[in-house]
Amino acid sequence: MHDTLLLFGATGDLSQRYLFPSLVHLWRDRLLPAGFRIVAVGRQELSDDEFRAWLREHMAGEVADDPALVEDLLSKIAYVSVDLRDETSIAAALSKYADGPSVSYLATPPDLFVHCANGLKAAGLLEGESRLVLEKPIGRDLASAREINAALRACLDESRIFRIDHYLGKAAVQNLLALRLGNTLLEAVWEHRWIESVDILVAETAGVDGREGYYAGYGALRDMVQNHMLQLLALIAMEPPSVLDADSIRDEKRKVLRALRPMSRDDVAARTVRGRYDAGVVEGRAVKGFVHESTVETFVAVETYIDNWRWAGVPFRLVTGKRLAERATEVVVSFRPTSHWLFERPRRGRERPNRLRMRLQPDETIELGLMGSLAAPEWGAMELKPMSLDLSMSGSPQRRIAYERLLVDALRGNQTLFVRDDEVEAAWQWIDSIEGAWSQTEQPALDYPAGSWGPAEAERFLPPTNGYKSGGGSA
Ligand code: BG6
């Protein structure tokens, strides 16, 4: 395990909210090496002590839990202030840390990736076994992603590049893979002959909140679908790899991403909805709308197909949005009706198809919808009713922040939960087809009230569970 972490973007939102708290937890649980040190790199001019004071203030919760632990970790941090566009200054400021293999983590906007990588290379910090970790988004479209990937490959080998998608670090997402690949029951039916549709929903109650600058250049499609949602889709739809090593899984995910049917301008109006939240009430609190001169969407619904043998003709519906009625991440697999229906009550066509609903956030539950008749048919006719087998995972151990797992994997050199260059590019290629069709047809972002399930036009894209109703809150 490497013991030096260089963290670029150390005073940024991600570092303060997730990365440093993750490091505190890992340090508490003795999951970091004894000689661990952190070089925090940022633009702001701060001394080591000033940076530590800033961090203490921004990690008040951690400090309250265990002040001594936080102080112990703070003592391992050195702060370096440098202009992240100036490669020569980066090299000069950091070369003294090139005394052994290290992990450099770029928690910065993508337009700084290449400057930082070049500076690190010049400092000798990408040699030998050293690794580079990058936050999403990798670029803004296929062309910019390719440029970044090519520039990175000029600095170090792909086997030492770790692209983060924090959804892959979530235990619930790993459980999705375990359920899918560890059960004969599902292996037997996991294809178009038995599955009618797949829904993936990532609903947030949070708004853009303070990230307007970044978000206005991206929108929901690029911010959430290109990465988190396509990774979920790929894990659900990929062929089982023959072994669980990093490249075997990533090969299979890439094949799925490349088989996604590109969106055409003729299809885009029927198969997508763009939305943008207006003022409303979320979780009992009045909130403002997203007001910005850019026309980006804060909600997107897409119906797509994976053009291969396993998934021919099965719609995959992806829906994500900010300021929706509830926070919920779930995958719903709807099965086809039974081949022959024997019952009068309900009549054929009125039965509810079997559904597997895997809820990943905020709570973790698995629900299997079945038809059954628990009451004995003493009065002659048998009446079937929808029933549900529920498995609550609430008794599972305390969940870690997704970044904890990913930081440990990066320090150890395990790439399984990181995204490879060709996966990122395949995802952008499909996203570009949607962005292109939207701009050719000038598809507008429709207003929806904050606290609803999105524009009314998106209703048919919402999962067929829970009575989701767009345009006006949950039913
Ligand atoms: C980030 C997006 O990658 O994921 C955010 O940039 C989004 O806009 C966040 O809010 C959602 O992550 P989680 O873990 O809260 O579901």
Side-chain angles (χ1 to χ4, degrees):
M1 202 176 198
H2 292 2
D3 59 10
T4 302
L5 176 69
L6 291 100
L7 183 54
F8 287 65
T11 53
D13 186 58
L14 183 76
S15 299
Q16 166 217 315
R17 284 177 55 201
Y18 294 114
L19 301 180
F20 281 110
S22 295
L23 289 165
V24 170
H25 301 166
L26 294 174
W27 187 245
R28 174 196 64 204
D29 298 339
R30 300 178 197 280
L31 291 168
L32 297 172
F36 189 61
R37 61 176 177 172
I38 303 170
V39 183
V41 187
R43 244 179 341 161
Q44 287 183 44
E45 294 211 1
L46 299 171
S47 66
D48 288 351
D49 280 342
E50 284 167 338
F51 178 73
R52 290 186 194 126
W54 176 88
L55 203 51
R56 234 176 252 124
E57 197 181 310
H58 285 86
M59 286 202 301
E62 303 296 336
V63 175
D65 281 354
D66 193 339
L69 172 76
V70 174
E71 284 312 311
D72 194 21
L73 188 77
L74 290 179
S75 72
K76 320 219 167 299
I77 303 181
Y79 181 79
V80 175
S81 146
V82 67
D83 174 358
L84 299 182
R85 291 185 187 280
D86 182 348
E87 299 171 10
T88 316
S89 303
I90 296 174
L94 298 178
S95 57
K96 65 175 172 207
Y97 298 106
D99 51 357
S102 58
V103 173
S104 294
Y105 189 139
L106 307 185
T108 66
D111 57 335
L112 296 175
F113 288 166
V114 176
H115 296 302
C116 294
N118 287 337
L120 283 164
K121 169 117 179 112
L125 279 156
L126 297 181
E127 300 305 313
E129 291 298 306
S130 289
R131 305 181 188 123
L132 186 64
V133 179
L134 300 114
E135 251 315 310
K136 68 153 260 265
I138 307 292
R140 202 180 161 271
D141 51 20
L142 178 59
S144 53
R146 276 193 177 141
E147 263 175 43
I148 292 172
N149 283 336
L152 296 178
R153 277 193 298 266
C155 294
L156 77 173
D157 187 73
E158 178 65 31
S159 62
R160 294 190 285 121
I161 303 176
F162 291 64
R163 292 177 197 76
I164 293 237
D165 183 307
H166 79 276
Y167 268 50
L168 295 181
K170 290 181 190 264
V173 174
Q174 288 149 39
N175 189 28
L176 190 68
L177 200 61
L179 278 172
R180 216 215 108 177
L181 300 178
N183 293 291
T184 329
L185 208 65
L186 297 183
E187 178 182 352
V189 294
W190 212 252
E191 53 155 304
H192 67 100
R193 277 186 293 172
W194 307 109
I195 291 180
E196 191 157 73
S197 60
V198 177
D199 291 272
I200 304 175
L201 170 75
V202 182
E204 298 185 86
T205 48
V208 174
D209 305 336
R211 295 165 75 217
E212 286 76 6
Y214 151 78
Y215 200 85
Y218 279 76
L221 184 69
R222 290 187 170 102
D223 180 50
M224 292 295 286
V225 182
Q226 189 273 339
N227 35 77
H228 309 321
M229 296 191 78
L230 286 187
Q231 284 294 322
L232 289 176
L233 175 142
L235 291 175
I236 293 161
M238 71 180 184
E239 292 303 312
S242 54
V243 285
L244 272 188
D245 65 31
D247 276 333
S248 305
I249 295 188
R250 299 188 302 175
D251 287 347
E252 298 306 337
K253 284 195 290 169
R254 184 208 45 194
K255 283 185 213 160
V256 170
L257 297 170
R258 293 185 70 164
L260 282 171
R261 187 180 300 172
M263 194 63 68
S264 71
R265 55 177 296 170
D266 298 335
D267 277 351
V268 77
R271 300 215 184 280
T272 67
V273 175
R274 300 177 72 215
R276 182 163 161 134
Y277 66 82
D278 216 339
V281 177
V282 179
E283 294 169 332
R285 195 167 56 91
V287 295
K288 293 194 182 129
F290 177 58
V291 183
H292 197 278
E293 67 207 11
S294 89
T295 54
V296 290
E297 71 288 341
T298 59
F299 174 99
V300 61
V302 183
E303 182 176 63
T304 187
Y305 291 86
I306 299 170
D307 286 330
N308 65 15
W309 281 52
R310 186 183 283 271
W311 296 111
V314 179
F316 280 72
R317 289 181 291 262
L318 312 179
V319 175
T320 185
K322 294 206 180 282
R323 290 276 189 244
L324 296 185
E326 260 176 47
R327 177 163 185 249
T329 300
E330 65 181 47
V331 174
V332 180
V333 178
S334 301
F335 292 90
R336 293 196 186 281
T338 48
S339 328
H340 177 60
W341 189 249
L342 295 168
F343 309 97
E344 263 179 43
R345 293 188 197 167
R347 286 222 196 94
R348 179 55 151 178
R350 308 297 300 260
E351 80 276 27
R352 185 175 298 166
N354 295 153
R355 279 197 188 108
L356 178 66
R357 179 175 181 221
M358 292 168 280
R359 203 170 160 111
L360 313 176
Q361 290 184 145
D363 43 345
E364 219 179 320
T365 56
I366 300 167
E367 218 176 276
L368 181 62
L370 300 168
M371 291 298 285
S373 163
L374 285 185
E378 296 93 349
W379 55 91
M382 196 187 299
E383 181 167 356
L384 271 65
K385 292 219 161 84
M387 301 191 309
S388 166
L389 276 179
D390 292 349
L391 182 62
S392 161
M393 318 280 275
S394 54
S396 46
Q398 178 70 38
R399 288 300 188 211
R400 290 184 172 277
I401 303 174
Y403 284 97
E404 295 180 37
R405 166 72 197 260
L406 298 174
L407 280 163
V408 168
D409 282 356
L411 291 165
R412 286 204 178 120
N414 180 356
Q415 282 188 308
T416 311
L417 299 178
F418 294 83
V419 186
R420 207 169 56 191
D421 53 355
D422 51 359
E423 278 181 83
V424 171
E425 291 176 17
W428 276 123
Q429 186 152 12
W430 183 72
I431 294 291
D432 281 1
S433 75
I434 302 177
E435 289 283 357
W438 278 349
S439 74
Q440 282 167 18
T441 57
E442 296 181 359
Q443 186 152 326
L446 309 168
D447 284 346
Y448 62 94
S452 72
W453 282 105
E457 289 75 356
E459 192 158 321
R460 81 164 188 91
F461 294 79
L462 292 167
T465 41
N466 249 18
Y468 292 121
K469 286 246 179 291
S470 44
S474 59

